[in-house]
Amino acid sequence: MEASSIIDVLNKKLAFLSGGKDRRSGLILSIPLGCDQTSMDELSDTLDYLLGIPSEKCKARGFTVIVDGRRSQWNTVKTVVLMLQNVIPAEVSLVCVVKPDEFWDKKVTHFCFWKEKDRLGFEVILVSANKLTRYIEPSQLTCDFGGTLDYDHGDWLGKRLVFEKFTKESTSLLDQLSIINDSDKSAPLDKSADVLLPSFDPETVLQTGHELLSELQQRRFDVSEGGGGGGGGQGAPAWRPMEEELLAQPQVVKLLDSLREKYTRYQEVCRQRSKRSQIHDVHAKVMQVVTWLQGPGSELLKTHRAIGDSMRAAQALQQKHEEIESQHSEWFAVYVELNQQIAVLLGGGDEDDEEAGELKALQRQLSDVCYQQAAQLETRQNVLQAAHAFHAAAQELSQQLDALLGTLCADVAPADGSQIQHGLKLLEEKLRSVEAGLASLRQKGALLLERTCADEGEVADEQRDNVGQIRDVMDDMQMRKQRCEDMVDVRRLKMLQMVQLFKCEEDASQAVDWLCELLDALLKTHVRLGDDARDTKALMDKHRKFVDVAQSTYDYGRQLLQATVVLCQSLRCAARSSGDTLPRLNRVWKQFAVSADERQHRLQLALAFHRRADAVSQCKAAAFCPSVFAPILTQMGRAFQVLEDERAEAESLDEADASAKALLDRLGMPVIFPDGSEQRFGSSGSDAAAAERVRERLLLVEERRLQLQEAEVGGEPRPHDESLHATLDVIGEEPGEKEAEDEEQEEQEEQEEADSREEDMLQC
């Protein structure tokens, strides 16, 4: 019985040989009963198969059967025990029924087995799982019964199937190889007879056997802590289920030895048969190859020696040559095969000297003829490849020259600078491509001339014609390239002028944008009028520099637009104009000029006002000096000085008042541009702040005027009293004036920072 025929039953694991042994060295047969009803027929088939595996010597030592009834009914266990009498009555030494802990009536079950003891022929004991080690060593029990023996039923079954398959195939293969080897000894060489072949691949069968044997030898022993079968000693190897009693390792070794011997003889028979067949065919094939190469093959090469006058003609010649090579390739393939066959025959060492000498002579003759013919084919192929490359380069160069000429003949419509730059770059690339193509043509032409002249079979007249044709093509391409270069120089100059034209227009537009930014900065940030004459003077200097920058920007824009006109005339594109760039430039410049004049006028009024206010302050300080230097001056001199100072101070007060009013009126007026539009400096808040600073200083002037008027109405006070009062007033006003000076200084620093940022922008 084979495992493959009952594979489904064996997969159920109704019974198994784990490889463990009892104390008598008998094998342990385990029957695990489950909760479901166990088929007695399937169990019987499983036992029949398992009992057929061990050798007769192993069977003689008897079996210990472990019936695991912990999950089964008593009736099933009893049926299995009784069935063992019919299946293996003589081989069973002991039956251990593993009982459950809480079921079965111990007295009844013991009585039943005791009553059947004589009829059964073997002893049956009921034990619990934890007491099974009293009869069997733990190292020989699987983990299901509290032991340490490893057992994998699926692995065992797989190895068993491999073993049976190997046994079957190797036995059949041995018979077939014996028949083949015996028939080759008695039968002579007959090419028409069919060659006998084995039904199995010997290499595959041998490999399977070696793998199986290696697995058996590896798994036979495994070092463990448990003792061996029967001895119970410590440190002995634990038996595994793949030992020789279970899988017949000697049988595998014997089959492998026989198979290797038969297969070696079979290989020798095949080699001798193949060698005899080759020796009969080599001579005829060698002569056939030599005859064709020296006859029709050589004639084909002699009748095809042209190189063509164009790429299409060269391609046709190459196709024809490929056909010739294809015909030769078939014979060259035969040559390679024959050369290999001769080398194999010579390397075998079984021929006599006469046969070896004949084979070597045939090999030399065949090699000489084939190498000579292959050299002629290669020379012809090189000439045709050079001709095709030359004509292809000439055609490509001609197309490049035509494309370049078409580009040069097309009119250039000015669009923008980037397109002109791209067109100029494309033109230069095409010219470089033409130069590279001409250089490649010259190189390939020189190579073609060299290979054409090196062909010894070339006729002199045909050779001169080919050389003249190659040189004419190269000279014609050189002349066409020179004409295109002259036209490229003219076109390059025109395109560079166009690039300059677009650059001038772009820069002129940028100048207009800069001027607009300057105008915007003038109207929005140039608002301060200064806190005194010195501050106003500094602002006027900055304003003058600012106007100079704007003037330079305007002049730069006008120059660019004039250059644009000149370039348009040179390029004969008078219809192209500067568009709205010139009107924009003039309009922005006029607006800037009006705004700058207004700014200058306001600064002049502010400077005049501050100068008058400073004069009033100086007159007031001079009025205090006589009281300080009273011991030095005379009474008359002081009176005269006071009168003069009062008269000058009155005039300064009037002038300061007039300047302030004129400045305040000017601050309230907007800037009116030539087109009638209006614009104010800064914002309404900035104008109000500037006007407030003017009014504050004008208030001081008015206070001084009131003091003078009071002095005229009430009579002139005594000089030293007036000086004393004035000194006390100055001392009393010092803290307020100090705070005002600090505020003015902070405002001045903020204005300087704004002016610094403005100068940076103007420099950019």
Side-chain angles (χ1 to χ4, degrees):
M1 183 183 296
E2 296 181 356
S4 58
S5 61
I6 57 170
I7 184 65
D8 295 335
V9 177
L10 293 177
N11 280 325
K12 294 180 180 181
K13 196 180 177 181
L14 300 178
F16 61 90
L17 290 170
S18 64
K21 294 184 179 181
D22 57 17
R23 290 188 173 91
R24 296 184 302 273
S25 298
L27 295 178
I28 297 175
L29 176 63
S30 301
I31 303 177
L33 299 178
C35 299
D36 300 334
Q37 185 66 28
T38 302
S39 174
M40 294 298 117
D41 294 336
E42 293 181 351
L43 179 59
S44 178
D45 293 340
T46 303
L47 293 175
D48 291 340
Y49 176 76
L50 293 176
L51 294 175
I53 295 176
S55 62
E56 295 299 329
K57 181 180 178 181
C58 185
K59 291 180 182 180
R61 292 196 292 266
F63 290 88
T64 294
V65 182
I66 300 177
V67 180
D68 188 2
R70 288 175 292 179
R71 296 183 299 172
S72 180
Q73 299 294 327
W74 164 245
N75 293 331
T76 304
V77 174
K78 182 179 179 181
T79 303
V80 171
V81 172
L82 294 176
M83 185 183 66
L84 294 176
Q85 181 186 15
N86 300 325
V87 178
I88 49 175
E91 289 83 358
V92 177
S93 299
L94 176 65
V95 176
C96 296
V97 178
V98 181
K99 63 180 181 177
D101 296 335
E102 300 178 358
F103 297 95
W104 302 352
D105 187 340
K106 182 183 300 185
K107 184 176 181 180
V108 173
T109 56
H110 185 269
F111 175 77
C112 292
F113 283 124
W114 183 263
K115 184 176 61 177
E116 300 291 337
K117 180 178 180 180
D118 296 335
R119 188 172 62 86
L120 291 175
F122 50 79
E123 182 182 0
V124 180
I125 59 174
L126 295 177
V127 295
S128 58
N130 55 359
K131 295 181 180 180
L132 190 60
T133 55
R134 295 179 180 178
Y135 306 94
I136 303 173
E137 294 293 333
S139 61
Q140 305 301 318
L141 292 174
T142 60
C143 59
D144 296 336
F145 304 109
T148 60
L149 182 63
D150 292 334
Y151 175 75
D152 187 348
H153 187 71
D155 181 68
W156 175 85
L157 183 57
K159 294 297 183 297
R160 188 64 193 176
L161 291 172
V162 173
F163 170 74
E164 292 182 355
K165 179 182 178 182
F166 168 73
T167 303
K168 180 180 179 181
E169 291 181 353
S170 59
T171 303
S172 176
L173 184 59
L174 285 173
D175 296 338
Q176 295 176 10
L177 291 178
S178 298
I179 296 173
I180 294 173
N181 295 339
D182 294 340
S183 63
D184 186 75
K185 293 180 181 179
S186 59
L189 179 63
D190 187 3
K191 296 183 179 180
S192 60
D194 295 334
V195 179
L196 298 177
L197 296 176
S199 58
F200 299 103
D201 182 16
E203 294 288 345
T204 304
V205 177
L206 283 172
Q207 182 179 1
T208 303
H210 285 298
E211 292 176 354
L212 179 60
L213 181 60
S214 176
E215 183 69 20
L216 294 177
Q217 292 174 349
Q218 181 179 359
R219 294 170 55 90
R220 182 176 181 180
F221 294 102
D222 187 11
V223 177
S224 64
E225 296 181 357
Q234 298 297 325
W239 289 93
R240 293 306 185 195
M242 302 300 289
E243 60 178 319
E244 59 183 0
E245 286 90 349
L246 299 182
L247 290 180
Q249 179 178 338
Q251 183 180 357
V252 176
V253 174
K254 183 178 180 181
L255 287 173
L256 284 174
D257 293 340
S258 301
L259 190 58
R260 279 193 292 267
E261 181 182 357
K262 294 292 184 181
Y263 182 54
T264 302
R265 175 58 186 163
Y266 170 75
Q267 289 178 324
E268 180 64 21
V269 169
C270 293
R271 191 181 68 82
Q272 292 295 335
R273 181 185 297 173
S274 175
K275 190 172 184 180
R276 290 196 301 270
S277 176
Q278 290 176 357
I279 292 175
H280 286 283
D281 296 338
V282 165
H283 188 274
K285 290 183 178 180
V286 168
M287 298 310 298
Q288 184 180 4
V289 172
V290 170
T291 301
W292 189 90
L293 291 178
Q294 291 180 345
S298 298
E299 291 297 327
L300 286 175
L301 289 177
K302 291 179 181 179
T303 55
H304 295 85
R305 296 189 175 275
I307 62 172
D309 56 355
S310 64
M311 188 175 68
R312 181 177 298 179
Q315 289 177 346
L317 291 174
Q318 280 186 324
Q319 292 177 357
K320 183 62 178 178
H321 184 72
E322 288 175 358
E323 294 177 359
I324 297 175
E325 283 185 337
S326 178
Q327 297 178 12
H328 280 76
S329 297
E330 297 177 358
W331 294 99
F332 287 155
V334 177
Y335 156 71
V336 172
E337 182 181 356
L338 289 174
N339 197 26
Q340 293 176 352
Q341 291 179 3
I342 294 174
V344 171
L345 292 174
L346 291 175
D350 297 337
E351 304 84 3
D352 54 16
D353 295 338
E354 183 178 358
E355 291 179 350
E358 182 181 359
L359 289 174
K360 291 180 180 179
L362 290 173
Q363 188 179 30
R364 286 194 299 270
Q365 181 183 6
L366 182 62
S367 298
D368 293 341
V369 173
C370 289
Y371 277 118
Q372 181 180 3
Q373 198 73 4
Q376 295 180 7
L377 288 171
E378 184 179 3
T379 301
R380 176 61 179 169
Q381 178 66 24
N382 292 336
V383 172
L384 292 177
Q385 288 178 353
H388 181 270
F390 173 77
H391 292 306
Q395 182 176 345
E396 182 180 1
L397 179 59
S398 178
Q399 293 175 356
Q400 292 176 351
L401 289 171
D402 293 339
L404 180 59
L405 183 61
T407 303
L408 295 172
C409 293
D411 191 13
V412 180
D416 54 44
S418 61
Q419 292 184 0
I420 296 299
Q421 289 282 7
H422 178 70
L424 183 60
K425 181 179 179 181
L426 183 62
L427 187 64
E428 296 292 344
E429 290 178 354
K430 289 184 177 180
L431 182 59
R432 286 194 295 270
S433 299
V434 168
E435 292 175 352
L438 183 59
S440 177
L441 180 66
R442 290 173 178 172
Q443 180 181 3
K444 294 175 181 179
L447 180 62
L448 178 59
L449 289 173
E450 179 183 355
R451 292 182 177 180
T452 301
C453 296
D455 191 355
E456 298 178 357
E458 189 70 35
V459 182
D461 294 338
E462 187 175 355
Q463 179 180 351
R464 286 194 295 271
D465 294 341
N466 292 333
V467 171
Q469 178 186 356
I470 295 170
R471 290 176 178 173
D472 290 342
V473 171
M474 291 192 293
D475 294 340
D476 179 63
M477 292 299 173
Q478 177 63 35
M479 293 177 60
R480 292 179 60 185
K481 185 252 185 183
Q482 186 62 43
R483 289 196 297 268
C484 288
E485 281 184 345
D486 297 338
M487 297 179 67
V488 166
D489 293 338
V490 177
R491 176 55 61 88
R492 185 187 295 111
L493 177 60
K494 183 177 181 180
M495 297 181 75
L496 290 175
Q497 289 180 344
M498 288 184 177
V499 172
Q500 188 176 4
L501 170 63
F502 288 115
K503 182 62 177 176
C504 290
E505 292 178 351
E506 182 180 354
D507 292 346
S509 179
Q510 183 64 45
V512 175
D513 295 338
W514 288 344
L515 199 57
C516 290
E517 293 177 0
L518 293 174
L519 175 60
D520 187 66
L522 176 63
L523 293 173
K524 291 183 179 180
T525 61
H526 292 214
V527 180
R528 289 186 66 251
L529 298 176
D531 298 330
D532 52 24
R534 185 176 59 183
D535 191 11
T536 304
K537 183 66 175 174
L539 291 175
M540 291 182 69
D541 293 339
K542 291 182 180 180
H543 178 69
R544 188 161 43 254
K545 295 178 181 179
F546 188 80
V547 173
D548 292 342
V549 172
Q551 181 67 47
S552 300
T553 304
Y554 172 71
D555 294 340
Y556 175 66
R558 289 297 300 266
Q559 292 174 3
L560 291 173
L561 292 176
Q562 290 176 0
T564 301
V565 174
V566 174
L567 289 173
C568 288
Q569 293 176 355
S570 176
L571 293 172
R572 297 180 182 180
C573 53
R576 184 181 181 84
S577 63
S578 59
D580 61 343
T581 305
L582 181 60
R584 284 179 57 214
L585 179 65
N586 292 331
R587 181 176 67 255
V588 175
W589 173 246
K590 290 179 181 179
Q591 292 177 355
F592 183 86
V594 172
S595 301
D597 292 342
E598 178 63 23
R599 172 66 175 170
Q600 181 67 24
H601 194 189
R602 292 186 180 188
L603 290 174
Q604 290 175 354
L605 290 176
L607 180 61
F609 168 69
H610 288 306
R611 285 178 175 175
R612 300 296 184 274
D614 292 341
V616 172
S617 300
Q618 293 174 1
C619 291
K620 181 177 180 181
F624 298 151
C625 288
S627 63
V628 179
F629 301 99
I632 302 174
L633 299 177
T634 61
Q635 188 68 25
M636 183 179 294
R638 285 182 300 172
F640 179 77
Q641 183 67 32
V642 169
L643 291 176
E644 290 295 330
D645 292 340
E646 289 179 354
R647 187 181 303 109
E649 187 175 3
E651 293 177 358
S652 298
L653 289 172
D654 293 338
E655 292 177 356
D657 190 25
S659 299
K661 291 181 179 179
L663 180 58
L664 291 174
D665 293 340
R666 200 74 182 183
L667 289 175
M669 297 174 58
V671 181
I672 301 177
F673 294 144
D675 58 356
S677 59
E678 296 180 357
Q679 183 70 33
R680 291 185 176 274
F681 280 94
S683 60
S684 59
S686 59
D687 289 342
E692 183 64 25
R693 293 190 185 94
V694 174
R695 292 190 184 94
E696 289 176 358
R697 194 155 194 191
L698 182 60
L699 182 59
L700 298 176
V701 174
E702 293 299 330
E703 289 178 357
R704 181 57 185 166
R705 185 189 298 277
L706 291 176
Q707 292 176 1
L708 292 177
Q709 290 177 357
E710 290 177 357
E712 292 176 359
V713 175
E716 181 179 0
R718 286 176 295 180
H720 62 276
D721 294 338
E722 181 180 357
S723 300
L724 180 59
H725 291 304
T727 303
L728 293 175
D729 292 340
V730 171
I731 294 174
E733 293 176 357
E734 282 180 358
E737 292 178 357
K738 182 63 176 177
E739 295 176 357
E741 290 177 358
D742 293 339
E743 294 177 357
E744 292 176 358
Q745 186 176 359
E746 293 178 357
E747 294 178 356
Q748 185 174 0
E749 291 177 355
E750 294 177 357
Q751 182 63 29
E752 288 177 356
E753 292 179 359
D755 295 341
S756 177
R757 291 193 297 269
E758 180 180 338
E759 289 179 358
D760 294 339
M761 181 187 71
L762 294 178
Q763 291 176 1
C764 295

